């Protein structure tokens, strides 16, 4: 009939009360929570009616278990030459759903790869991802292997690995099952984990004869467990658990509150307050907890709106105080502010006049005079300071030897200038088919540095885009970003264009805009330069601001005319009223430029003879 190698005092997780009747018997005893997986052989040697008996076998066992997410969980896999997951431990928690899935199994009807099935159970079926509870919860993991033949692969090693991973294996053999293989698979003691049934007809009666021995005992109710909080019964034993917020002491029975602050991982900026396994963050006095519930921010008492400070409220720890803006002093009430007259209260050192402002002061000079770099003394208009930008033609028609003469011309102009950050500033732009700033007004502070930079300038060649160069000069070269001083300082802005040919773009618009912006424009043309274009570039009076000839002799009369037409103290009749400093600066620049042009004329003529 039935051959039993061993009985099991706590086989509750595997075989409870089973009867041969069509409907399973009621639960006879209470079992602890289990994670149970049936591993069913569906090889070709198992005939259809025999497989139906195995279905009934699984269903009868399930009906005698307390199933549920917190009770026993059940999974089923079938195998032959391959392994198929019927349903996992997390799939169903109702007996009816499990029974329906078991009745829907279609046998694989191939070989008998029992070792492969055990491997799958260990690596997949009993993972947390598939519904097995974590090992630290101490929920028994039970595999029930039912087979009718000899495995076609190795089972000894993989079964040992599964047992080592905490899986308790019960091996149930039917008919032709190999006893050695069953013993190789099962857990120890073997007499409690290995069973052999002579035929599938008897498998349903398998558990009936051992129902008393297979029924689990609730150890928590049958003995004095001593657990302070909760006793959890497992097959043949029990363990103690603590309520949330407590941890089990080393005696395995009593519980202590968990200090959630002790591990230092709470992240509280100020103080951590532990409370039954959790914690809250708390800030020191004068601070408030931020929305992240961890960090703290000092309370801004000024935001309460009741400080009454006239100017500024300054929040401090546990309070605030009033503060006045620069140039004001706080009154006796600690809230009102009164302006300070800096010019009367300090030795300001202004040469002409001191002007008090809120929290400071500044010096001013008489009309027509400029404030010096020291911010105190006034310029008597002796230095002739200007912001000068030279636009030199680098087109192909200039030719390299003439371009060197142009560079000499530039350096000769620099020689007579009082170059310094607070004196004259010089910028250089070269143009051909494109425009290139060689150096801006702000780059060099001495005449020597400027002359070195001029000598390093490389000849561009190509076309003659004079209009584009004028646009660049207006938008960039005379900007404060590139070193031009504010118009309010009355520093004359001078642009000098040196060209030898007709422009390939329109110059009228940008020449007009440059002059309208207050830039005094000079135009010097040689060779094939177009007089009409030079006149468009030059400031009024045009005759005094452009030169076109090989000898530059027409420039010699400019100085006298400039005084008559621009400087009010030198002219007669109607005139444009301009700053005396600006007049003197322009006159000085014009005089020295004429001398340089005359010297350059001789060199140009000499070079022309040599080339001829």
């Amino acid at each position: 009939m039935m051959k039993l190698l061993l009985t099991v005092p706590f086989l509750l997780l595997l075989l409870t009360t089973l009867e041969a009747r069509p409907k399973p018997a009621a639960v006879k005893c209470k079992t602890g929570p289990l994670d149970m997986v049936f591993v069913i052989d569906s090889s070709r040697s198992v005939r259809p009616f025999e497989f139906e008996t195995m279905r009934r076998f699984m269903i009868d066992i399930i009906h005698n278990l307390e199933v549920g997410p917190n009770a026993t969980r059940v999974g089923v896999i079938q195998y032959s030459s391959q392994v198929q997951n019927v349903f996992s431990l997390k799939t169903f928690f109702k007996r009816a759903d499990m029974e329906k899935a078991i009745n829907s199994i279609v046998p694989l009807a191939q070989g008998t790869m029992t070792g492969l099935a055990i491997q799958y159970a260990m690596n997949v079926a009993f993972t947390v991802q598939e519904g097995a509870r974590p090992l630290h919860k101490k929920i028994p993991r039970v595999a029930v292997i039912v087979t009718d033949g000899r495995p076609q692969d190795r089972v000894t090693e993989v079964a040992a690995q599964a047992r080592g991973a905490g899986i308790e294996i019960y091996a149930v053999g039917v008919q032709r099952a190999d006893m050695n293989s069953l013993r190789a698979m099962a857990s120890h003691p073997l007499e409690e984990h290995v069973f052999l049934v002579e035929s599938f007809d008897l498998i349903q009666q398998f558990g009936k004869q051992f129902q008393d021995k297979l029924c689990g005992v609730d150890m928590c109710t049958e003995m004095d467990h001593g657990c302070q909080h909760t006793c959890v019964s497992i097959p043949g034993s029990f363990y103690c658990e603590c309520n949330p917020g407590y941890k089990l002491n080393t005696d395995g029975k009593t519980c202590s509150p968990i200090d959630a602050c002790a591990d230092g991982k709470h992240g509280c900026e100020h103080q951590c307050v532990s409370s039954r396994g959790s914690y809250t963050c708390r800030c020191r006095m004068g601070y408030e907890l931020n929305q992240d519930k961890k960090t703290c921010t000092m309370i801004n008492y000024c935001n309460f709106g009741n400080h009454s400070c006239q100017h500024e409220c300054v929040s401090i720890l546990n309070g605030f105080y009033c503060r006045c803006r620069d140039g004001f002093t706080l009154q006796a009430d600690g809230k009102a502010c009164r302006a300070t007259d800096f010019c009367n209260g300090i030795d300001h050192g202004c040469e002409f006049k001191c002007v008090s402002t809120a929290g400071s002061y500044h010096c001013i000079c008489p009309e027509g005079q400029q404030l010096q770099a020291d911010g105190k003394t006034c310029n008597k208009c002796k230095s002739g300071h200007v912001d000068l930008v030279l636009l030199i033609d680098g087109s192909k028609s200039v030719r390299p030897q003439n371009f060197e003469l142009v560079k000499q011309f530039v350096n000769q102009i620099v020689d007579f200038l009082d170059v310094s950050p607070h004196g004259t500033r010089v910028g250089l732009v070269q143009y051909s088919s494109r425009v290139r700033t060689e150096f801006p007004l702000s780059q060099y502070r001495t005449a020597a540095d400027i002359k070195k930079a001029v000598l390093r300038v490389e000849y561009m060649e190509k076309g003659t885009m004079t209009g584009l160069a004028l646009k660049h000069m207006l938008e960039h070269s005379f900007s404060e970003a590139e070193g031009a001083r504010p118009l309010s300082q009355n520093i004359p802005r001078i642009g000098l264009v040196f060209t030898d040919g007709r422009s390939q773009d329109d110059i009228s618009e940008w020449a007009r805009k440059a002059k309208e912006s207050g830039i005094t424009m000079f135009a010097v043309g040689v060779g094939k330069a177009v007089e009409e274009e030079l006149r468009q570039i030059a400031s009024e009076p045009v005759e005094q601001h452009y030169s076109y000839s090989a000898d530059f002799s027409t420039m010699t009369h400019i100085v006298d005319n400039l005084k008559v037409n621009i400087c009010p103290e030198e002219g007669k009749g109607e005139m444009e009223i301009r700053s005396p400093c600006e007049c003197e600066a322009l006159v000085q620049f014009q005089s020295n430029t004429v001398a340089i042009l005359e010297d350059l004329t001789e060199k140009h003529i000499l070079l022309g003879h040599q080339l001829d």
Side-chain angles (χ1 to χ4, degrees):
M1 295 283 292
M2 181 165 116
K3 191 182 298 181
L4 174 66
L5 297 182
L6 272 174
T7 61
V8 187
F10 49 89
L11 198 57
L12 64 131
L13 37 121
L14 171 62
L15 302 168
T16 58
T17 306
L18 298 176
E19 295 183 2
R21 294 175 300 176
K23 294 183 179 180
V27 178
K28 301 279 186 187
C29 58
K30 181 179 179 181
T31 62
L34 305 172
D35 286 339
M36 175 184 288
V37 175
F38 289 99
V39 184
I40 303 302
D41 181 356
S42 65
S43 61
R44 67 173 64 92
S45 63
V46 179
R47 289 170 290 184
F49 73 90
E50 295 174 336
F51 194 80
E52 292 303 316
T53 304
M54 280 202 289
R55 288 188 210 270
R56 190 72 260 163
F57 167 72
M58 289 187 286
I59 292 172
D60 286 347
I61 291 179
I62 291 171
H63 272 273
N64 284 276
L65 295 174
E66 294 182 23
V67 298
N70 298 317
T72 293
R73 299 182 183 182
V74 178
V76 177
I77 61 176
Q78 65 164 330
Y79 72 94
S80 58
S81 297
Q82 57 186 346
V83 180
Q84 181 189 70
N85 181 43
V86 179
F87 59 85
S88 62
L89 292 168
K90 66 180 179 180
T91 306
F92 303 121
F93 297 113
K94 294 182 180 180
R95 294 188 184 90
D97 295 332
M98 295 178 185
E99 181 176 351
K100 183 178 179 180
I102 291 172
N103 285 328
S104 301
I105 298 174
V106 177
L108 299 173
Q110 296 175 358
T112 309
M113 302 296 286
T114 310
L116 182 64
I118 297 173
Q119 185 79 47
Y120 180 89
M122 176 175 62
N123 293 342
V124 179
F126 280 108
T127 62
V128 175
Q129 292 79 2
E130 289 298 307
R133 268 110 11 139
L135 290 172
H136 69 82
K137 289 187 175 292
K138 300 180 182 179
I139 304 299
R141 295 182 175 183
V142 177
V144 180
I145 302 173
V146 182
T147 180
D148 79 328
R150 183 188 298 274
Q152 294 177 339
D153 57 356
R154 296 181 178 180
V155 297
T156 303
E157 183 177 341
V158 69
Q161 292 175 356
R163 296 191 300 268
I167 301 172
E168 187 173 5
I169 300 177
Y170 290 87
V172 179
V174 182
Q175 289 184 342
R176 299 169 296 278
D178 178 62
M179 177 58 69
N180 290 332
S181 298
L182 297 176
R183 293 173 65 86
M185 292 186 286
S187 295
H188 290 264
L190 296 178
E191 60 270 18
E192 297 179 2
H193 293 83
V194 179
F195 302 89
L196 184 61
V197 180
E198 292 183 351
S199 70
F200 281 97
D201 293 336
L202 300 173
I203 195 169
Q204 280 186 280
Q205 300 178 14
F206 170 60
K208 184 178 179 181
Q209 300 178 20
F210 303 98
Q211 63 181 27
D212 293 335
K213 296 181 180 179
L214 301 180
C215 183
V217 176
D218 188 344
M219 302 296 288
C220 292
T221 60
E222 295 295 325
M223 60 182 297
D224 182 13
H225 51 76
C227 296
Q228 183 178 355
H229 285 180
T230 305
C231 175
V232 180
S233 180
I234 59 175
S237 185
F238 70 92
Y239 64 90
C240 298
E241 280 189 347
C242 296
N243 296 336
Y246 292 83
K247 62 180 179 179
L248 196 64
N249 295 329
T250 55
D251 61 7
K253 295 182 182 293
T254 59
C255 301
S256 298
I258 296 173
D259 184 357
C261 298
D263 61 4
K265 298 179 181 179
H266 48 78
C268 298
E269 183 177 359
H270 285 182
Q271 300 169 355
C272 176
V273 180
S274 182
S275 175
R276 292 190 179 182
S278 184
Y279 68 91
T280 56
C281 295
R282 187 165 61 192
C283 298
R284 294 191 294 269
M285 184 176 296
Y287 291 82
E288 58 187 353
L289 198 63
N290 295 327
Q291 290 184 353
D292 62 7
K293 303 301 181 184
K294 293 181 180 292
T295 59
C296 300
T297 300
M298 189 170 70
I299 297 173
N300 191 334
Y301 290 92
C302 295
N303 288 343
F304 296 159
N306 58 354
H307 52 77
S308 301
C309 297
Q310 183 178 353
H311 282 183
E312 299 173 1
C313 173
V314 181
S315 182
I316 58 175
L317 190 62
N318 299 321
F320 70 92
Y321 66 90
C322 296
R323 181 172 63 191
C324 297
R325 294 190 292 269
D326 291 343
F328 295 82
T329 56
L330 192 66
Q331 299 304 293
D333 63 0
K335 297 180 182 293
C337 299
R338 187 171 65 185
T340 301
D341 187 351
F342 278 87
C343 291
N344 291 331
I346 62 172
D347 182 15
H348 51 76
C350 296
E351 180 181 344
F352 177 66
K353 185 177 181 181
C354 174
V355 178
S356 288
T357 58
S360 186
Y361 73 93
H362 66 271
C363 301
I364 61 174
C365 293
E367 184 178 357
Q369 296 187 23
Q370 300 168 355
L371 194 65
Q372 293 292 81
D374 61 7
K376 297 180 182 294
T377 59
C378 299
N379 187 338
K380 299 302 188 298
C381 219
K382 297 179 180 179
S383 59
H385 298 158
V386 297
D387 283 344
L388 170 65
V389 176
L390 299 104
L391 275 64
I392 59 175
D393 184 351
S395 62
K396 186 176 182 180
S397 60
V398 173
R399 294 187 296 181
Q401 58 270 34
N402 284 337
F403 189 73
E404 292 302 314
L405 285 179
V406 173
K407 288 161 66 173
Q408 292 179 23
F409 165 68
V410 171
N411 277 347
Q412 286 177 289
I413 290 178
V414 173
D415 279 335
F416 71 75
L417 298 175
D418 178 20
V419 177
S420 70
H422 303 292
T424 291
R425 300 180 183 181
V426 179
L428 180 64
V429 175
Q430 183 184 177
Y431 69 94
S432 59
S433 297
R434 57 189 178 87
V435 181
R436 183 173 72 201
T437 297
E438 301 295 351
F439 51 85
L441 289 166
S442 60
Q443 184 163 351
Y444 297 111
R445 296 172 175 266
T446 66
D449 290 339
I450 292 175
K451 292 174 68 176
K452 290 178 184 178
V454 170
L455 294 177
R456 291 195 298 268
V457 173
E458 296 183 358
Y459 181 34
M460 293 174 69
E461 299 190 67
K462 298 189 179 179
T464 309
M465 303 294 284
T466 310
L468 184 63
L470 290 168
K471 179 177 184 294
H472 180 89
M473 176 196 73
L474 177 61
E475 293 182 345
H476 300 285
S477 301
F478 279 111
S479 67
E480 291 184 29
E482 292 204 1
R485 284 162 286 195
L487 293 172
S488 61
Q489 293 187 15
N490 293 326
I491 303 296
R493 294 181 174 184
I494 298 176
L496 191 151
V497 180
F498 194 102
T499 181
D500 84 325
R502 179 184 294 275
S503 176
Q504 294 174 336
D505 62 350
D506 180 62
I507 66 168
S508 58
E509 177 185 1
W510 293 104
R512 174 179 55 78
K513 288 183 176 180
K515 290 179 284 188
E516 288 176 352
S517 72
I519 301 172
T520 302
M521 294 299 302
F522 289 87
V524 177
V526 295
K528 296 180 181 180
V530 179
E531 182 177 356
E532 179 184 355
E533 292 185 351
L534 298 176
R535 295 177 68 88
Q536 283 184 313
I537 295 171
S539 292
E540 296 289 343
V542 173
E543 288 74 14
Q544 298 171 10
H545 290 82
Y546 93 97
S547 173
Y548 171 65
S549 68
D551 56 14
F552 300 101
S553 59
T554 59
M555 296 289 289
T556 57
H557 65 283
I558 290 179
V559 175
D560 292 336
N561 289 341
L562 188 64
K563 288 185 177 183
V564 170
N565 290 286
I566 297 179
C567 298
E569 69 274 18
E570 300 291 340
K572 297 179 181 179
E574 295 183 2
M575 63 195 72
E576 180 183 359
I577 304 300
R578 301 183 63 170
S579 165
C581 291
E582 186 176 355
C583 290
E584 187 167 336
L586 291 170
V587 170
Q588 182 177 344
F589 174 80
Q590 186 73 61
S591 301
N592 290 305
T593 302
V594 168
I596 294 170
L597 290 172
E598 290 175 347
D599 180 65
L600 186 61
T601 297
E602 296 179 4
K603 294 181 180 179
H604 181 75
I605 295 172
L606 179 60
L607 179 61
H609 290 321
Q610 291 175 347
L611 294 174
D612 292 340

